[in-house]
């Protein structure tokens, strides 16, 4: 046995082996990004060369899903690697318990420098989850697209400019100023393309001569679905005014400044001029059209999707800036680059412009990962993955053990291009941020849970004792609910069993029944 002199042992204890094998991690994240607006995804309607570069030099995940497709629950699930009931963030109003276990704090303890810049959105500011944080503040944590306010441990500050550009500037500044002897975890989390979508002045003028393809299901009649599904408040046709960038013209506002909408009030004179130059002619045309019925829906879709894609153009450009920084500074080879979004988005499918549902467009998230030496360039990964898998994946990458309490699974076994036989065959979904008639929740949404495997999907509307069932191979657009309550064998019964087993596995119980809303008291005459 080799005996080391005590001085060497002490030295080794004081300076643990430099973890040269610990890769840097760049986590690029957006808010509400639909897969069909990323160039490398099948059926894409636009170009995103920089996001595509991540996939081209790494992998595109075609079956990446959420555990709960809404903003705050998704962010909490990623940080904790757990389903919503276990991390406490079941809905957008849930208070964040920052003392609970989160993967960034563990990376920090293991020698990483950790930083979060951009949209945090949880109810409760960060404390020590990240060593450095600068988050968008105001508007319930949504922040502003223009001249946004940031909050950091040092206090609030307002920065002139456009949110996507500023978040990138801050991310690059942090990379520049970091301790270059340590590995880093940098989460750059963008606000785009969340509603109310205002593109940067650079991209506002695009697409006037373009008509984007309309989803086949825009005019879904909901014939086979549960009746309350059609009753939710997220129809694209209901969008109007500010959220479509329809507002009074520069001339009108010059005469009556009191009509200036809040989003224009937040802009500098130059930014407002850019907005009027881009949108006043469009709005003039719109007012002359006086559209009704399906024509009005088609028009609204075009206004909506064009602003959506313009916001993505700004995102893609800024992703390119960060990738170029990595190249220039010799960091591309030893940095894992991940691009994802807090959920997907229904961009007109079923007539909606929202998320929340277990339907594919919102249940899925984009996931692109570049990981030199681990992922072969150009990989396409179809295995079922969920956002709770990111925490265990990154811990494992850093050489750390994954605690048993974490629900997700490290993705390393599927990154080589083949899916081992023991990989998960199905995934559980839970959505709690809703209501029932008489106890309306957000968007008049029904609460629901369900299970999806490689082919089938079972949705349980537990407040209504109602079910839906889809064969995604025959009906990928989920137009035909084929739930049959009399079927006691076959796929429906099999998925019902798996639904019960998965709920037991993760400790999920149906939440308490919603209390009816109190009736408004009538005033005495
Ligand atoms: Ca979101």
């Amino acid at each position: 046995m080799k005996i080391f002199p005590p001085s060497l042992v002490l030295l080794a204890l004081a300076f643990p082996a430099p973890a040269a094998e610990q890769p840097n991690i760049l986590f690029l994240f957006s808010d509400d990004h639909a897969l069909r607006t990323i160039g490398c995804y099948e059926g894409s309607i636009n170009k995103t060369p920089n996001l595509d570069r991540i996939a081209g030099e790494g992998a595109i995940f075609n079956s990446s899903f959420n555990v709960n497709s809404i903003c705050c629950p998704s962010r909490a699930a990623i940080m904790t690697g757990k389903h919503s009931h276990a991390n406490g963030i079941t809905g957008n109003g849930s208070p964040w318990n920052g003392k609970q276990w989160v993967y960034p704090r563990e990376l920090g303890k293991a020698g990483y420098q950790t930083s979060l810049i951009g949209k945090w959105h949880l109810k409760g500011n960060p404390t020590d989850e990240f060593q450095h944080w600068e988050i968008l503040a105001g508007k319930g944590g949504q922040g502003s697209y223009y001249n946004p306010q940031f909050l950091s441990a040092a206090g609030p500050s307002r920065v002139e400019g456009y949110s996507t550009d500023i978040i990138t500037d801050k991310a690059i500044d942090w990379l520049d100023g970091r301790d270059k002897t340590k590995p880093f975890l940098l989460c750059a989390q963008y606000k785009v393309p969340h509603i109310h979508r205002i593109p940067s002045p650079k991209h506002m003028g695009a697409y006037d001569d373009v008509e984007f393809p309309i989803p086949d299901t825009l005019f879904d009649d909901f014939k086979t679905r549960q009746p309350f599904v059609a009753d939710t408040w997220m129809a694209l046709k209901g969008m109007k005014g500010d959220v479509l960038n329809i507002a009074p013209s520069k001339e009108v506002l010059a005469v009556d400044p009191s009509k200036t909408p809040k989003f224009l009030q937040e802009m500098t004179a130059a930014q407002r001029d850019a907005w009027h130059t881009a949108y006043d002619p469009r709005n003039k045309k719109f007012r002359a059209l006086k559209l009704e019925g399906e024509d009005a829906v088609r028009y609204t879709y075009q206004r909506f999707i064009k602003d959506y894609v313009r916001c993505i153009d700004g995102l893609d450009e800024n992703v390119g800036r960060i990738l170029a920084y990595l190249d220039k500074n010799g960091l591309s080879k030893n940095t894992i680059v991940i691009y994802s979004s807090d959920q997907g988005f229904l961009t007109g499918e079923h007539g909606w412009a929202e998320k929340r549902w277990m339907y594919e467009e919102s249940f899925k998230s984009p996931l692109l990962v570049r990981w030199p030496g681990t992922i072969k360039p150009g990989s396409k990964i179809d295995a079922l993955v969920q956002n709770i898998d990111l925490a265990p994946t990154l811990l494992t990458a850093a050489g750390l053990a994954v605690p048993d309490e974490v629900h997700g699974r490290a993705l390393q076994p599927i990154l080589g291009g083949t899916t081992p036989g023991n990989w998960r065959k199905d995934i559980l979904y839970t959505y709690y941020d809703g209501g029932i008639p008489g106890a309306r929740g957000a968007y008049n949404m029904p609460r629901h849970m369900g299970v999806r495997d490689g082919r089938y999907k079972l949705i349980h509307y537990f407040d209504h004792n109602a079910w839906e069932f889809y064969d995604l191979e025959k009906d990928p657009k989920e137009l035909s609910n084929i739930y049959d309550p009399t079927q006691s064998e076959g796929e429906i019964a099999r998925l019902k069993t798996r639904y019960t087993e998965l709920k037991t596995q993760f400790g999920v119980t149906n939440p308490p029944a919603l209390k009816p809303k109190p009736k408004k008291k009538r005033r005495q005459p």
Side-chain angles (χ1 to χ4, degrees):
M1 184 174 132
K2 216 169 181 177
I3 307 287
F4 291 100
S7 58
L8 268 185
V9 173
L10 280 177
L11 204 66
L13 287 174
F15 299 97
E21 71 282 3
Q22 285 183 319
N24 300 310
I25 301 160
L26 173 63
F27 181 68
L28 303 167
F29 198 57
S30 64
D31 193 326
D32 293 1
H33 197 176
L35 276 68
R36 74 191 280 259
T37 58
I38 300 178
C40 55
Y41 273 103
E42 201 183 310
S44 172
I45 59 170
N46 59 319
K47 291 190 166 61
T48 53
N50 295 295
L51 290 170
D52 299 357
R53 184 185 160 194
I54 300 173
E57 294 172 0
I60 182 170
F61 288 75
N62 289 318
S63 305
S64 170
F65 293 88
N66 275 291
V67 294
N68 185 350
S69 292
I70 180 87
C71 310
C72 296
S74 167
R75 287 156 202 269
I78 289 170
M79 281 202 293
T80 62
K82 290 177 193 158
H83 279 273
S84 305
H85 70 286
N87 64 43
I89 308 297
T90 52
N92 268 353
S94 307
W96 169 243
N97 166 18
K99 294 292 160 217
Q100 67 182 303
W101 184 95
V102 291
Y103 88 84
R105 191 188 292 115
E106 298 307 304
L107 291 185
K109 283 195 239 166
Y112 273 73
Q113 286 175 95
T114 63
S115 174
L116 169 83
I117 292 168
K119 192 167 179 180
W120 163 257
H121 194 32
L122 293 171
K123 303 295 174 290
N125 293 332
T127 50
D128 65 346
E129 296 90 335
F130 290 84
Q131 294 157 355
H132 172 89
W133 53 273
E134 288 179 82
I135 58 170
L136 285 171
K139 302 183 176 172
Q142 298 284 1
S144 297
Y145 275 119
Y146 276 81
N147 313 319
Q149 192 173 45
F150 283 82
L151 186 68
S152 71
S157 62
R158 193 171 291 281
V159 185
E160 191 175 311
Y162 182 66
S163 134
T164 311
D165 300 332
I166 298 167
I167 290 167
T168 310
D169 292 345
K170 283 181 177 289
I172 290 175
D173 283 351
W174 183 84
L175 283 173
D176 248 353
R178 77 189 198 281
D179 175 352
K180 296 186 174 74
T181 64
K182 293 179 177 177
F184 66 80
L185 163 70
L186 170 62
C187 299
Q189 307 197 161
Y190 296 96
K191 174 177 167 63
V192 279
H194 192 276
I195 199 171
H196 157 199
R197 299 172 190 90
I198 318 177
S200 93
K202 253 176 112 171
H203 300 286
M204 273 179 183
Y207 304 121
D208 272 332
D209 301 325
V210 173
E211 290 287 290
F212 282 103
I214 290 175
D216 298 339
T217 60
L218 182 66
F219 297 107
D220 188 357
D221 61 8
F222 300 105
K223 209 165 54 191
T224 65
R225 258 174 263 261
Q226 295 295 340
F228 44 79
V229 170
D231 215 17
T232 48
W233 302 332
M234 55 178 66
L236 190 99
K237 66 181 178 191
M239 293 177 82
K240 54 188 171 190
D242 286 7
V243 295
L244 290 176
N245 284 300
I246 295 172
S249 67
K250 192 174 179 180
E251 288 71 31
V252 169
L253 295 180
V255 175
D256 185 358
S258 72
K259 287 185 177 160
T260 310
K262 184 137 194 312
F263 77 89
L264 285 178
Q265 290 174 31
E266 288 177 349
M267 293 183 183
T268 63
Q271 292 164 349
R272 277 175 67 165
D273 274 346
W275 186 92
H276 283 298
T277 302
Y279 288 98
D280 282 0
R282 294 171 188 154
N283 292 337
K284 195 176 164 191
K285 271 189 203 164
F286 161 69
R287 289 184 182 104
L289 283 169
K290 300 193 190 314
L291 296 167
E292 283 181 20
E294 291 196 354
D295 287 344
V297 178
R298 286 193 193 91
Y299 178 85
T300 302
Y301 168 78
Q302 292 297 337
R303 287 294 297 256
F304 150 78
I305 199 72
K306 285 181 186 183
D307 279 335
Y308 192 102
V309 172
R310 290 171 188 130
C311 286
I312 296 304
D313 289 346
L315 171 77
D316 189 67
E317 181 184 280
N318 277 283
V319 166
R321 284 179 63 205
I322 298 202
L323 294 181
Y325 179 91
L326 298 185
D327 290 342
K328 210 173 138 194
N329 290 276
L331 292 166
S332 295
K333 286 263 178 294
N334 61 343
T335 301
I336 303 171
V337 178
I338 301 175
Y339 176 76
S340 191
S341 180
D342 59 351
Q343 2 72 211
F345 204 74
L346 291 138
T347 53
E349 294 88 352
H350 313 295
W352 291 326
E354 252 295 322
K355 48 244 185 181
R356 302 167 186 275
W357 291 105
M358 198 189 163
Y359 299 130
E360 292 291 274
E361 293 84 356
S362 46
F363 186 18
K364 263 187 193 177
S365 285
L367 181 63
L368 313 172
V369 182
R370 186 179 77 179
W371 192 337
T374 297
I375 296 178
K376 217 165 69 188
S379 297
K380 292 179 171 40
I381 296 177
D382 293 323
L384 288 171
V385 308
Q386 272 186 304
N387 53 352
I388 49 175
D389 298 337
L390 293 171
T393 303
L394 297 178
L395 285 178
T396 305
L400 301 176
V402 179
D404 288 344
E405 64 186 273
V406 167
H407 293 155
R409 290 177 68 166
L411 296 174
Q412 276 79 348
I414 63 166
L415 297 181
T418 50
T419 306
N422 65 354
W423 189 251
R424 65 162 72 89
K425 306 283 188 294
D426 42 33
I427 49 173
L428 179 72
Y429 183 75
T430 62
Y431 176 82
Y432 303 95
D433 224 3
I436 52 172
R440 300 295 196 185
Y443 289 74
N444 208 25
M445 275 286 295
R447 300 192 293 182
H448 58 290
M449 296 183 183
V451 58
R452 184 204 193 277
D453 67 12
R455 175 164 177 182
Y456 300 101
K457 184 187 291 181
L458 177 75
I459 307 177
H460 183 207
Y461 299 104
F462 49 87
D463 289 323
H464 298 265
N465 192 27
W467 302 80
E468 287 182 358
F469 187 76
Y470 296 94
D471 179 342
L472 299 167
E473 198 176 291
K474 289 187 182 158
D475 177 27
K477 290 176 181 166
E478 296 168 292
L479 287 165
S480 184
N481 165 30
I482 50 169
Y483 181 75
D484 175 0
T486 63
Q487 199 196 76
S488 56
E489 289 176 357
E491 299 300 341
I492 294 173
R494 184 179 64 77
L495 250 67
K496 271 193 175 176
T497 303
R498 283 301 295 147
Y499 174 57
T500 306
E501 287 170 355
L502 284 170
K503 286 204 319 179
T504 305
Q505 180 187 334
F506 295 115
V508 174
T509 52
N510 286 352
L514 291 164
K515 288 181 185 153
K517 262 189 180 174
K519 282 184 185 154
K520 278 185 188 163
K521 278 185 186 167
R522 281 196 183 165
R523 280 198 185 156
Q524 293 295 327

